[in-house]
């Protein structure tokens, strides 16, 4: 079941559920589209660290020349000039969009489709925009989180022109395991969403994008990376995100090699 669920990560259609959390649609699951409720259009400059990647995923500026995204969005590690990162705008068609090509990709060591869902993309030149710091411990793995992306606004729908945002509450490991059983890897993943009602979540095309909240100083801090889920915004099935704090040291070490 794990490989089935994770085979349809939230890439290429991640969207918006209003960003509705990027839910993965397992093969054979009901394909009935479900609108994501609760998402709204982000204001220009509201989340300046957001990046759209040309393969149909999201990401965030970890450094001015490095994008943090999901491992399932890339194909291995090495030199790679095929990815275009778009930043600086909420409207992907804006003439003000900053577009920079990739030079290298570093996929999480040991990634095999389950857990360890993070990757770094080195850019050909720095993007002069604010970066998003990542959590280095679990202090902020609670409360309400913000998700944002250009993914689908309905399950199976098209990706969006405008950046959408939504708020999703933390879901405990126990409650998330009630939905996904052994498919969930509690030590590497964190869940969020409206379990009882559904309606707000990330979706296909939001993969790799950040889940973040404010820290004690009022600054944004990334606690998750959009990874997978069943459908989009379905009741009983929260979104599953890579737990950034688990991999913070590895991410920092990897970034230093790029």
């Amino acid at each position: 079941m794990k490989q089935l669920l994770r085979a349809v990560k939230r890439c290429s259609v991640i969207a918006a559920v209003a960003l509705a959390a990027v839910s993965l649609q397992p093969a054979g699951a009901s394909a009935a589209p479900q609108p994501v409720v609760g998402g709204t259009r982000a204001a220009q400059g509201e989340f300046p660290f957001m990046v759209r990647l040309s393969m149909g995923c999201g990401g965030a500026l970890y450094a001015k020349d490095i994008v943090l995204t999901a491992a399932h969005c890339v194909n291995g590690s090495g030199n790679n000039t095929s990815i275009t990162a778009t930043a600086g705008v909420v409207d992907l068609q804006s003439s003000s969009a900053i577009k920079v090509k990739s030079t290298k990709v570093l996929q999480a060591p040991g990634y095999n489709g389950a857990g360890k869902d993070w990757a770094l993309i080195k850019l050909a030149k720095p993007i002069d925009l604010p970066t998003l710091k990542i959590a280095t411990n679990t202090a902020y793995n609670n409360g309400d989180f913000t998700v944002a992306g250009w993914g689908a606004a309905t399950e199976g729908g098209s990706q969006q022109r405008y950046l959408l945002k939504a708020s999703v509450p933390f879901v405990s490991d126990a409650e998330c395991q009630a939905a996904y059983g052994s498919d969930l890897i509690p030590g590497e993943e964190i869940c969020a969403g409206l379990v009882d009602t559904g309606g707000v979540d990330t979706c296909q095309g939001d993969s790799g994008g950040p889940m973040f909240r404010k820290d004690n100083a009022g600054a944004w801090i990334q606690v998750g990376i959009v990874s997978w889920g069943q459908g989009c915004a379905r009741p009983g099935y929260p979104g599953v995100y890579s737990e950034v704090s688990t991999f913070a040291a590895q991410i920092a070490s990897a970034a230093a090699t790029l």
Side-chain angles (χ1 to χ4, degrees), residues 56-108:
C57 281
L61 287 174
Y62 172 82
K64 291 185 182 295
D65 60 349
I66 298 176
V67 176
L68 176 60
T69 187
H72 75 266
C73 288
V74 301
N75 294 315
S77 300
N79 294 333
N80 187 324
T81 59
S82 69
I83 301 168
T84 299
T86 300
V89 294
V90 295
D91 177 3
L92 294 179
Q93 296 182 22
S94 171
S95 59
S96 300
I98 300 168
K99 295 181 181 290
V100 181
K101 285 286 190 178
S102 61
T103 60
K104 294 181 180 179
V105 171
L106 194 157
Q107 188 180 57

Side-chain angles (χ1 to χ4, degrees), residues 8-24 36 39 50-53 55-60 68-73 92 117 146-166 168 200-212 222 224-228 231-233 239-242:
V8 194
K9 303 257 183 186
R10 286 171 186 193
C11 329
S12 175
V13 186
I14 206 169
V17 151
L19 206 265
V22 177
S23 305
L24 307 193
V36 178
M50 289 296 302
V51 174
R52 182 64 179 173
L53 299 171
M55 81 287 276
C57 281
L68 176 60
T69 187
H72 75 266
C73 288
L92 294 179
D117 199 7
T146 297
V147 287
W150 289 270
T154 60
E155 187 174 312
S158 301
Q159 297 187 41
Q160 305 295 297
R161 170 179 174 177
Y162 296 98
L163 180 67
L164 297 179
K165 64 177 181 177
V168 288
V200 180
D201 186 15
T202 44
C203 200
Q204 290 85 18
D206 291 319
S207 281
M211 179 171 75
F212 49 100
Q222 182 173 358
I225 299 170
V226 177
S227 184
W228 64 281
C232 293
V240 183
Y241 302 77
S242 292

Side-chain angles (χ1 to χ4, degrees), residues 144-219:
D144 292 328
F145 307 115
T146 297
V147 287
W150 289 270
T154 60
E155 187 174 312
S158 301
Q159 297 187 41
Q160 305 295 297
R161 170 179 174 177
Y162 296 98
L163 180 67
L164 297 179
K165 64 177 181 177
S167 178
V168 288
F170 168 75
V171 173
S172 70
D173 288 344
E175 193 169 13
C176 200
Q177 282 184 306
Y180 295 117
S182 61
D183 291 311
L184 183 74
I185 305 175
E188 299 184 1
E189 296 173 326
I190 180 173
C191 301
L194 300 175
V195 178
D196 292 340
T197 62
V200 180
D201 186 15
T202 44
C203 200
Q204 290 85 18
D206 291 319
S207 281
M211 179 171 75
F212 49 100
R213 53 159 287 178
K214 293 289 183 69
D215 65 12
N216 292 336

Side-chain angles (χ1 to χ4, degrees), residues 70 87 120:
L120 298 173

